[in-house]
Amino acid sequence: MTVTAPAGFRSAGIAVGLKSTGKPDLALVVNDGPRRASAAVFTSNRAQANPIIWSRKVVAGGTARAIVLNSGGANCFTGEFGYETTRLTAEAVAAALTAEGSVDDASEAVDAERILVCSTGLIGSGDQTFRDRIVDNVPALAAALAADDATAPAAILTTDSVEKTAVRERDGWTIGAMAKGAGMLAPGLATMLVVITTDAVLDDAQLDRALRAATGRSFDRLDSDGCMSTNDQVTLLASGASGVAADEDVFAAVLAEICDDLSAQLQGDAEGASHDIDIEVLGAASEAEAVEVGRSVARNNLFKAAIFGNDPNWGRVLAAIGTTDAAFDPYAVDVSFNGVRLCHAGGPDRPVEECDLTPRRTHVRIELFAGEAAATIRTNDLTHDYVHENSAYSS
Amino acid sequence: MTVTAPAGFRSAGIAVGLKSTGKPDLALVVNDGPRRASAAVFTSNRAQANPIIWSRKVVAGGTARAIVLNSGGANCFTGEFGYETTRLTAEAVAAALTAEGSVDDASEAVDAERILVCSTGLIGSGDQTFRDRIVDNVPALAAALAADDATAPAAILTTDSVEKTAVRERDGWTIGAMAKGAGMLAPGLATMLVVITTDAVLDDAQLDRALRAATGRSFDRLDSDGCMSTNDQVTLLASGASGVAADEDVFAAVLAEICDDLSAQLQGDAEGASHDIDIEVLGAASEAEAVEVGRSVARNNLFKAAIFGNDPNWGRVLAAIGTTDAAFDPYAVDVSFNGVRLCHAGGPDRPVEECDLTPRRTHVRIELFAGEAAATIRTNDLTHDYVHENSAYSS
């Protein structure tokens, strides 16, 4: 159990033919209450898919009743027809929940505008077949809902090779989560769909604060390939079913753990990668500058290709950070690879032969000596497999 | 003849053992006057190689007498020893020119501070052997100087597969140029060394204006891999030997032609590339926004990998420009590939099957409908060979 580990939730995942492989591609997570608090963060890309446009309205309008997610099609740049598909999907879910006897707090039916929608897959896909496969199968999806479900996480995957899930228990409440994401991983957010559930008693504002803090230091610092998606959404739903009012700080800390854990799982499954690279920036004048410096290295193709070749090319690190506006003296910087300081004060230090880059986990430490702030950016190397997957697979 | 096509110049290129291949790796271009006007633009990377630090002082201090260039070592991040190597190189050139009877206008010897220095190759390289090979061989280099030289262009190449040169004649004066650059091509400037000579009669200020205008729309819009180098320098030297005072506007136009020609040559020889992609942005609110939009696409690895796979993935184009701050409505954009409009008003238009991306030359046209400004960014695709060259070759 993942998103149903907290009390008050049911979920399901089924195959409706959106994926050519016949694998599960439609998931639903329902908050059965008694409370229905929620929060969400969305891609900062100005080109936004139809489900993002829809879900923003749901979040702005009040608390969410359920979230329906499909893989096998992003429903992005599909025009008015695509937006209608999203709306019809939400209506089908609302109708199915109403049919099973669920009602909204203040009405006799579940309102479609309380249903969040997420889509992931090929951009541009969104024809009549795509719509019908989703809408016609929502009743079957609702019928499969279960409080001990294990099928939802697989139904949101695209090029992912493994399911990404996390669960934490604390003080009488639980957080559960599922995520998808393997490419187009750059922040604000990475290409990811994440659903996080909890049975803690918290209101919308508390959830929103905790979620923004947690994603800002986790998913927003995952930058696998510098490419920002059109469909990203991280959603947090709270049922209050534990009856326990969580301490807000404790909840925020556990939620941050969950998001950090999922970020590492996304990094570890990035398309074609052979190294998971953590770029730790220390001694920055501000946290924002630490992030800027780390990101400049994470997005440098020459650096990323060097790591693929097990070459601890610190010159490319300095050349990358020289392009930023961060406070530092290029000739006072130290750079270490996997614990070996190869560059001191902007010049050569230990011999590069002392550094072993063959392990998948790679740690680059950059000391700017310009202040006290720090940040770590997660990225991956640039490999033949990355080029292959993204030239042969249209997404 | 290239840089000696204009009257008043001699050049030479010899092999001194900096390149392991034994190919030519040290070049010299001398302005024999009667005038010695000059201008230069440098990398905007804050991490700058020793020859850049030196040459900036030369340019700030007055007109340049000669320029000495080595491949086989960037002399970057090599500390005080590296800077001394650059200074000693300039002194050796000044001594050699003095020995052959040349004098500066106002003294009895050639001043080292009138000698520009450029280096390219592996960052971090710069030991005693590197220094000695250059300094000890400067007399032989000076002895090889000739007004009909054809050896200099090859001596500045690194991973380039071909020499890049251009010559134009107009109104009684001539411009000649040689360039190197094959990777780490991103502006402000790309990784390039360029020497341009002319026998037109122009002063420093005229040269500076013409050079900044020409490079701003050529080399600064070449963005092969988004990686900015530490060693870039474009130098323009004017001998006045034609005796013809060039019309400043005509000279600027011809210089712009030369720089555009060399930019196309650099794009065509980019490491590992299989497509030369021109990204034309039309209808932008300003030229700066047109450049921003074009660059966001040029630096998008998913777009670049798609082109390698001959996939006209317009969704990745929209996802890339959605990350910019430029004025536009993502759902009012048109995108064409090689003349076929695949995206209209942010949705699908012609079938992608109508578009043939197999030719090396690739034209992407983005119409923003937000204004009247336009710009074209030159880039390349992301290929297996790019990854191979930059993971196996330490630079």
Side-chain angles (χ1 to χ4, degrees), chain A residues 45-46 48 77 184 227 301-302 305 311 313 316 318-319 322 324 326 328 330-331 346 348 384 386 390-391 393-395, chain B residues 45-46 48 77 184 300-302 305 311 313 316 318-319 322 324 326 328 330-331 346 348 384 386 390-391 393-395:
Chain A
N45 197 315
R46 292 168 61 198
Q48 305 199 335
F77 308 128
M184 216 180 198
C227 297
N301 279 351
L302 293 174
D311 170 18
N313 196 315
R316 292 179 180 178
L318 292 193
T324 71
F328 76 101
Y331 297 98
H384 289 299
Y386 177 88
N390 288 298
S391 57
Y393 168 78
S394 200
S395 68
Chain B
N45 197 315
R46 293 168 62 199
Q48 305 199 334
F77 307 129
M184 216 179 199
N300 187 283
N301 279 350
L302 293 174
D311 170 17
N313 197 314
R316 291 179 180 176
L318 292 193
T324 71
F328 75 102
Y331 298 97
H384 289 299
Y386 177 88
N390 289 297
S391 58
Y393 168 78
S394 201
S395 68

Side-chain angles (χ1 to χ4, degrees), chain A residues 12-16 26 28 92 96 133-145:
Chain A
I14 63 173
V16 303
L26 191 64
L28 179 62
R133 282 182 170 146
I134 294 176
V135 173
D136 294 352
N137 285 295
V138 163
L141 179 67
L145 284 168

Side-chain angles (χ1 to χ4, degrees), chain A residues 221-243:
Chain A
R221 293 187 182 176
L222 174 63
D223 197 334
S224 173
D225 62 4
C227 297
M228 191 189 292
S229 168
T230 51
N231 285 62
D232 307 319
Q233 182 171 337
V234 179
T235 305
L236 172 59
L237 304 172
S239 69
S242 69

Side-chain angles (χ1 to χ4, degrees), chain A residues 14-18 25-28 68-70 75 81-97 117 119 126-143:
Chain A
I14 63 173
V16 303
L18 304 175
D25 44 21
L26 191 64
L28 179 62
V68 56
L69 314 92
N70 76 272
N75 194 2
F81 183 89
Y83 185 77
E84 280 301 289
T85 295
T86 295
R87 192 180 60 76
L88 291 169
T89 301
E91 285 189 356
V93 170
L97 295 180
V117 183
S119 299
D127 58 8
Q128 185 72 48
T129 313
F130 175 83
R131 175 191 286 182
D132 292 347
R133 282 182 170 146
I134 294 176
V135 173
D136 294 352
N137 285 295
V138 163
L141 179 67

Side-chain angles (χ1 to χ4, degrees), chain B residues 203-224:
Chain B
D203 64 24
D204 288 355
Q206 291 173 312
L207 293 181
D208 189 67
R209 278 194 295 273
L211 185 62
R212 289 181 191 282
T215 57
R217 294 193 172 203
S218 56
F219 302 124
D220 278 346
R221 293 188 183 175
L222 174 64
D223 196 334
S224 172

Side-chain angles (χ1 to χ4, degrees), chain A residues 196-277:
Chain A
I196 308 170
T197 55
T198 183
D199 51 16
V201 176
L202 292 160
D203 64 25
D204 288 354
Q206 291 173 313
L207 294 181
D208 189 68
R209 279 194 293 273
L211 185 62
R212 288 181 191 282
T215 57
R217 295 193 171 202
S218 55
F219 302 125
D220 278 346
R221 293 187 182 176
L222 174 63
D223 197 334
S224 173
D225 62 4
C227 297
M228 191 189 292
S229 168
T230 51
N231 285 62
D232 307 319
Q233 182 171 337
V234 179
T235 305
L236 172 59
L237 304 172
S239 69
S242 69
V244 179
D247 176 271
E248 190 173 341
D249 291 340
V250 174
F251 181 81
V254 176
L255 184 66
E257 257 182 57
I258 290 261
C259 291
D260 192 61
D261 183 343
L262 291 173
S263 292
Q265 292 182 50
L266 292 167
Q267 178 190 32
D269 197 27
E271 286 173 354
S274 70
H275 289 80
D276 299 334
I277 311 167

Side-chain angles (χ1 to χ4, degrees), chain B residues 68 193 306:
Chain B
V68 56
L193 299 181

Side-chain angles (χ1 to χ4, degrees), chain A residues 70-381:
Chain A
N70 76 272
S71 51
N75 194 2
C76 184
F77 308 128
T78 47
E80 189 59 32
F81 183 89
Y83 185 77
E84 280 301 289
T85 295
T86 295
R87 192 180 60 76
L88 291 169
T89 301
E91 285 189 356
V93 170
L97 295 180
T98 302
E100 68 169 23
S102 298
V103 293
D104 276 357
D105 300 339
S107 80
E108 294 186 356
V110 175
D111 187 347
E113 294 180 3
R114 300 277 70 76
I115 310 298
L116 295 162
V117 183
C118 293
S119 299
T120 183
L122 183 67
I123 289 176
S125 159
D127 58 8
Q128 185 72 48
T129 313
F130 175 83
R131 175 191 286 182
D132 292 347
R133 282 182 170 146
I134 294 176
V135 173
D136 294 352
N137 285 295
V138 163
L141 179 67
L145 284 168
D148 60 351
D149 173 59
T151 60
I156 63 173
L157 305 183
T158 54
T159 57
D160 307 64
S161 68
V162 294
E163 295 176 19
K164 285 97 177 173
T165 63
V167 175
R168 295 284 191 289
E169 294 186 31
R170 184 78 60 92
D171 303 339
W173 45 265
T174 302
I175 303 179
M178 64 179 187
K180 90 102 207 172
M184 216 180 198
L185 288 170
L189 308 161
T191 294
M192 57 175 59
L193 298 181
V194 182
V195 179
I196 308 170
T197 55
T198 183
D199 51 16
V201 176
L202 292 160
D203 64 25
D204 288 354
Q206 291 173 313
L207 294 181
D208 189 68
R209 279 194 293 273
L211 185 62
R212 288 181 191 282
T215 57
R217 295 193 171 202
S218 55
F219 302 125
D220 278 346
R221 293 187 182 176
L222 174 63
D223 197 334
S224 173
D225 62 4
C227 297
M228 191 189 292
S229 168
T230 51
N231 285 62
D232 307 319
Q233 182 171 337
V234 179
T235 305
L236 172 59
L237 304 172
S239 69
S242 69
V244 179
D247 176 271
E248 190 173 341
D249 291 340
V250 174
F251 181 81
V254 176
L255 184 66
E257 257 182 57
I258 290 261
C259 291
D260 192 61
D261 183 343
L262 291 173
S263 292
Q265 292 182 50
L266 292 167
Q267 178 190 32
D269 197 27
E271 286 173 354
S274 70
H275 289 80
D276 299 334
I277 311 167
D278 288 355
I279 301 172
E280 182 184 12
V281 181
L282 300 169
S286 69
E287 192 171 335
E289 292 194 355
V291 169
E292 181 189 5
V293 166
R295 202 179 298 296
S296 75
V297 178
R299 292 188 173 180
N300 187 283
N301 279 351
L302 293 174
F303 164 79
K304 293 159 81 82
I307 299 297
F308 170 56
N310 295 326
D311 170 18
N313 196 315
W314 58 268
R316 292 179 180 178
V317 171
L318 292 193
I321 65 180
T323 66
T324 71
D325 294 322
F328 76 101
D329 175 352
Y331 297 98
V333 172
D334 289 357
V335 182
S336 302
F337 282 72
N338 287 352
V340 182
R341 196 177 71 177
L342 300 177
C343 165
H344 174 56
D349 190 15
R350 305 299 310 166
V352 293
E353 293 72 22
E354 290 185 8
C355 178
D356 178 14
L357 285 189
T358 55
R360 182 176 176 102
R361 286 226 63 82
T362 307
H363 182 238
V364 178
R365 181 186 169 109
I366 301 165
E367 294 179 89
L368 297 177
F369 299 104
E372 302 296 323
T376 296
I377 299 290
R378 288 189 165 110
T379 190
N380 297 98
D381 52 351

